[in-house]
Structure formats: structure tokens, C-alpha cells
Amino acid sequence: MSSRYVVLLTLLLGVGVSAVEVQRPRGVPLSKLQFYEEGKPFTCLDGSRTIPFDRVNDDYCDCSDGSDEPGTAACPNGSFHCTNAGFRPVFIPSSRINDGICDCCDTTDEYNSGAVCQNTCRDLGRKERESLLKLAEIAKEGFLLKQQLIQEAKRGLEEKRAKAADLQVNKKDLEEKVEALRTVKEAAEQPEKQAKERHLKAWEEEKALIRIEEEKGKMAEVFLELDDDADVSVKSGILGGVDKVDTAAFEAVWNNIKEKYISEVRTFYFLLFLQTLCAAPAPVETAQEEIREPVSDNDSEQYPEDDITEDEDDDDEEDEDDDPDDEKKDDDEGTMPPYDQETQILIDAAQKARDEFEESEKALREVDDQINNLEKEISFDFGPSSEFAYLYSQCYELTTSEYIYRLCPFNRVSQKPKYGGSETNLGTWGKWAGPEDNIYSMMKYEHGTGCWQGPNRSTTVKLTCGKETVVTSTSEPSRCEYVMEFICPAICQEPPNLVSEEHEHEEL
């Protein structure tokens, strides 16, 4: 609570004591009465000159600072003091004296204008007293809550430090456990790997035998195809210079000729296919196409490159269609048989070791995260006595006609359309940004979502004292720069003793 409220409370709570009129020149405040001593020459308050006292308030400006005319409008830079007994004393510009408008609630500024004014100071004082008493009560209750928050924060801090210490011990135990389980895992994986390799090797050998048998079968089929006269011998130029071989000799040269044979057989069947195709009657559509005029070079532009790409893609698909031969080979060879019982036992043991190792590693990571989060909280600036710590991990909302605003202290501020739409980041936690003598009175949230052709959004949160914690208003005084009003007891200051400071009033 500022000194202004101290003065007002001291003044306004003192109602009921009789008024005491202090004689002084019109427009002079009590704090400057000593300079206006009747019967003695008056020295301008700026020290520029000294004049006879009867020239004070004579409606002629003698002093450059206007101090000789506190109760008239003679000096353009002068000021008039409204006593306002029962309310707050104020200063008004001298130009408002006797201008027909009542500026002082006690009507003293219109002493010679003929304006009809009513003294409203008592009524204004009563209303302000009621308002200030409510504010004082709120401040008192808010400060009591703040003391509770400080005690809770202190206990919470001690608990967090104790928990962090326990987690550090737990972390050390987990690290040792992880390393032990890592050793067990690696020891279990070695025989597993060897057993798997043995199993795979046996399967590869079995597949090789299957391929040999398949190759022999294919070779026998070819031998029978080439044995024209059924004399169990082959005579053909495809043998690479050998005139005649029997079954045993054919087996010896088969590896050298099979690729050539397969190639020539394919060529033979392809030529046979073409011959059959050419011998077939031509369809009517084909005949019509043959009599069409040849396409000009310019007409070639009718066919976009995309068509060519499609054809190429079709060719690729045809090539891919050849791949199933390999798959067929795998199918012929069958799938790898299941592991034998001894190998499976080793695999199960290794998998169990891996699972236990991964589980312990996960537990270690979780403990690490908990320690990091606790250390972050412990080191965070939650105010001189950690009174703002209760706001951590909390969020508060304000709903307006268009938007839902969400303030998550020490995290971010956001805005979301009330009737659906994506959320906009109005800034993430930056720093405490209040004035030097009250730095914790403002929060700054920066680097929010960028405005269209503008800066990134940011929000200033102004904290005021209250019994509850709530966002009361939000505004955008400048483009992409938002201001929030946030009430919370943690900002409340200790109410002052209602002891009079230097002030001036007519009712004590």
C-alpha cells in the first residue's frame, strides 16, 4: 500500500473530530504556510525577488514562479490549493480559479465567480473511506494469505530438497543396477548370438542342398529335351564344342552352358511367339490404323512426357513382376525352421536380460527427469520468500466475448477463440519485469506466435493484491503486445500502521 493510502486512511479514519480552521492566504497549502508570514515582506519561492506582503494575491503576477498569486488566476504557471476539508486536498492550475466550474469539492476555487457550488467533500470522503477500508481489509487478508503461502513454500522447498537428496541416492543405486544388468545382458547375448549363427548356418547349408537338388532336376529336364533320338546322349552346338555327351558328362558341362541354353530357349520361344502372331489374321481395327496418314513432327507435341513416364513405369512394374521367381525360390526352399530347444532357451534368457536392463534404464531416466525438475523448481526465482511458488504448474483462465485467455505462470500465456479454433501463443515465460523497487509486480512473457507482418506476440502481466488468485482483465494496447491484470495474495504488502505522515487537512 502506497504512502498516499496511508495518508488517506489516517485522514479519513479521523472523522468525528471538530474542524479547525487554520488562517492563511487563499490557495496556500499548510506545508508552505511558513513562507507567507503576514506583515513581513514576501520572497518569491524561487528566490527571484522580494515584494511587500500586501502584493500577495493582489491579482498581479510579480514572481516568475507565480508563488505570489496562490489564490488568483493572475500567474499562468501558478497553482491553487484546494483544502477540501473532509476529503483529499488537491492542487489545480490557477487558470481554473473563478472560471465558473467547481473544481474543488469545498467550492473554494469559485469564491468570486458567482457559480452555484455545493460542498461535496464530506460525501466524497465518506465514499472513499468505505472504498479504502475495503481495500485495507483486502490487503490485510491478502497479506495473511501471503504469510501462509510463504510457510507452505518453505515446507515445500524443504520437502523438495529432501526428495532430491533421496532421488540422488536412488539414482546411484540404479546406476549400479544398470551396469550390473548390462553385464548380465551382454553375457547372455553372447551364447544367444553363437546359437543363432549356428542355426542360420545349418539352415543355409540345408537350403544349398535343396538348390543342388533343384538344379539337378532342372538339368535332367534339359537333358531329356536335348536328347532328340533318345539314345541317352546329347549332340548339339549348344554344348560349346563338345559333339556328344552322356548324362554324366552333361552334368559336368551343365554349369558352363546353362545360362546360354536358357537365353537361347527364351529367344526361341519369343521368335515362335512372333511367328504365331504374324500368321494370325489382322483385326479390322489394325487395318484401319495402317491406312492412316503418318503423324507429322508437330503432332508429336500431342503426347506429353507424362505418357512416356507412365510407359517407363509400366516397364518397371513388368521388371518387378520377374522378381517373384526369387520369392518362388524362397518358397521352394521353405521358411527357416524354428530354433531347437537349447537355442530357444538361450534366446529366452537373453531376452529376459534385455528386458530387465531396459526396464532399469527407463527407471534411471525417470529418476534423472525427477531430479532435474526438482532442481529447476528449487533454483527458480519465486520471490524473496518463495511466496509465488504456489503458482508453479498452475493455470488460470479468463473468458471474454470472443476468446478464452489462459495464463500459466512461469510457463506461457495463450489465447483461443471461444467458439473453436487453434490456440495462439501470446508469449512464454521471460522474467520479472516490475520497477526496480517492486520488480515482482510484473511478469514478462516473450517470443509468442508472430503477428502477420509484425513482431512476435508478448504479454505483460500486472500483479495486484487480492484474497484470491484470478485473471481479471486482458487488453492489447499495442499491436501484438498484450496486458493482463492478475490478482494474487503473494503480491500483497504488509498493511502499514495508521500513523500520520506529514500531510495537511482541516479535520483531524
Side-chain angles (χ1 to χ4, degrees), residues 69-137:
E69 298 297 319
T72 74
C75 297
N77 58 337
S79 60
F80 178 83
H81 180 261
C82 302
T83 301
N84 290 345
F87 190 49
R88 292 195 310 269
V90 296
F91 286 92
I92 62 171
S94 294
S95 59
R96 296 183 182 180
I97 297 174
N98 292 321
D99 62 353
I101 300 174
C102 299
D103 296 290
C104 302
C105 66
D106 62 1
T107 75
T108 53
D109 59 314
E110 298 301 318
Y111 61 88
N112 199 30
S113 67
V116 179
C117 300
Q118 292 184 347
N119 190 323
T120 59
C121 289
R122 288 184 178 276
D123 189 46
L124 291 174
R126 178 183 57 78
K127 291 179 180 179
E128 182 160 277
R129 275 196 303 278
E130 292 173 355
S131 175
L132 290 175
L133 285 171
K134 288 179 180 179
L135 289 176
E137 187 62 27

Side-chain angles (χ1 to χ4, degrees), residues 21-209:
E21 182 68 24
V22 178
Q23 295 298 323
R24 50 187 154 156
R26 182 181 284 111
V28 175
L30 286 177
S31 59
K32 295 180 181 179
L33 179 60
Q34 57 182 319
F35 302 111
Y36 295 85
E37 195 169 347
E38 192 169 357
K40 293 183 178 181
F42 173 76
T43 300
C44 301
L45 297 185
D46 61 1
S48 57
R49 63 185 300 188
T50 299
I51 58 175
F53 190 81
D54 58 6
R55 292 169 64 175
V56 173
N57 281 339
D58 66 347
D59 209 22
Y60 182 84
C61 192
D62 296 291
C63 299
S64 57
D65 62 357
S67 56
D68 65 311
E69 298 297 319
T72 74
C75 297
N77 58 337
S79 60
F80 178 83
H81 180 261
C82 302
T83 301
N84 290 345
F87 190 49
R88 292 195 310 269
V90 296
F91 286 92
I92 62 171
S94 294
S95 59
R96 296 183 182 180
I97 297 174
N98 292 321
D99 62 353
I101 300 174
C102 299
D103 296 290
C104 302
C105 66
D106 62 1
T107 75
T108 53
D109 59 314
E110 298 301 318
Y111 61 88
N112 199 30
S113 67
V116 179
C117 300
Q118 292 184 347
N119 190 323
T120 59
C121 289
R122 288 184 178 276
D123 189 46
L124 291 174
R126 178 183 57 78
K127 291 179 180 179
E128 182 160 277
R129 275 196 303 278
E130 292 173 355
S131 175
L132 290 175
L133 285 171
K134 288 179 180 179
L135 289 176
E137 187 62 27
I138 290 173
K140 180 180 178 181
E141 293 182 29
F143 183 73
L144 291 176
L145 289 173
K146 178 180 180 178
Q147 300 310 302
Q148 296 176 19
L149 292 173
I150 290 174
Q151 293 303 315
E152 290 173 6
K154 184 178 179 181
R155 287 193 298 269
L157 185 60
E158 292 173 353
E159 291 172 0
K160 289 181 178 66
R161 285 174 175 161
K163 186 176 181 181
D166 291 341
L167 287 171
Q168 288 289 359
V169 174
N170 190 18
K171 177 183 176 181
K172 185 177 179 181
D173 293 340
L174 281 172
E175 287 174 339
E176 294 175 355
K177 182 179 179 181
V178 166
E179 289 309 310
L181 290 175
R182 189 195 306 276
T183 302
V184 172
K185 178 181 76 74
E186 292 173 351
E189 286 176 336
Q190 186 61 30
E192 175 200 39
K193 180 182 177 183
Q194 293 172 352
K196 282 185 173 181
E197 288 174 350
R198 284 194 301 269
H199 185 84
L200 181 61
K201 182 179 179 182
W203 170 234
E204 292 295 339
E205 291 173 351
E206 185 178 341
K207 287 196 295 182
L209 292 175

Side-chain angles (χ1 to χ4, degrees), residues 256-426:
N256 296 329
I257 68 169
K258 64 179 180 180
E259 295 299 331
K260 182 179 180 184
Y261 170 78
I262 293 171
S263 176
E264 290 188 4
V265 168
R266 286 181 176 174
T267 302
F268 169 76
Y269 281 111
F270 179 68
L271 292 174
L272 182 61
F273 168 74
L274 290 179
Q275 182 179 359
T276 305
L277 185 63
C278 292
V284 176
E285 291 78 7
T286 305
Q288 290 177 349
E289 290 177 358
E290 290 175 355
I291 63 175
R292 291 173 59 184
E293 295 181 2
V295 179
S296 66
D297 293 339
N298 292 336
D299 290 339
S300 64
E301 296 179 1
Q302 301 174 32
Y303 303 97
E305 294 181 359
D306 292 344
D307 293 341
I308 299 174
T309 305
E310 280 185 20
D311 292 339
E312 292 174 353
D313 291 340
D314 292 340
D315 292 341
D316 292 340
E317 291 175 4
E318 290 176 4
D319 293 338
E320 291 174 2
D321 290 340
D322 295 335
D323 293 338
D325 289 344
D326 297 332
E327 296 178 8
K328 184 175 182 300
K329 183 189 295 182
D330 292 338
D331 291 340
D332 293 341
E333 295 172 352
T335 57
M336 186 173 70
Y339 295 111
D340 58 80
Q341 184 178 4
E342 182 182 352
T343 301
Q344 190 61 52
I345 289 174
L346 294 173
I347 293 173
D348 293 343
Q351 187 58 49
K352 181 181 178 183
R354 278 190 291 270
D355 292 341
E356 291 178 350
F357 171 74
E358 290 171 2
E359 186 178 344
S360 63
E361 261 199 332
K362 180 182 177 183
L364 178 59
R365 287 194 300 271
E366 290 175 352
V367 167
D368 247 338
D369 290 341
Q370 292 180 51
I371 291 174
N372 291 336
N373 291 335
L374 284 170
E375 289 179 346
K376 180 181 177 182
E377 278 195 62
I378 290 170
S379 63
F380 206 92
D381 183 4
F382 288 124
S385 302
S386 299
E387 58 267 36
F388 295 98
Y390 81 103
L391 298 175
Y392 195 75
S393 300
Q394 301 296 317
C395 292
Y396 305 89
E397 290 186 352
L398 171 68
T399 301
T400 65
S401 58
E402 295 183 74
Y403 298 102
I404 298 174
Y405 292 91
R406 186 175 175 85
L407 167 63
C408 300
F410 312 115
N411 187 358
R412 68 197 295 263
V413 181
S414 63
Q415 173 197 66
K416 187 175 183 179
K418 186 176 180 180
Y419 300 105
S422 59
E423 188 177 71
T424 301
N425 183 357
L426 302 186

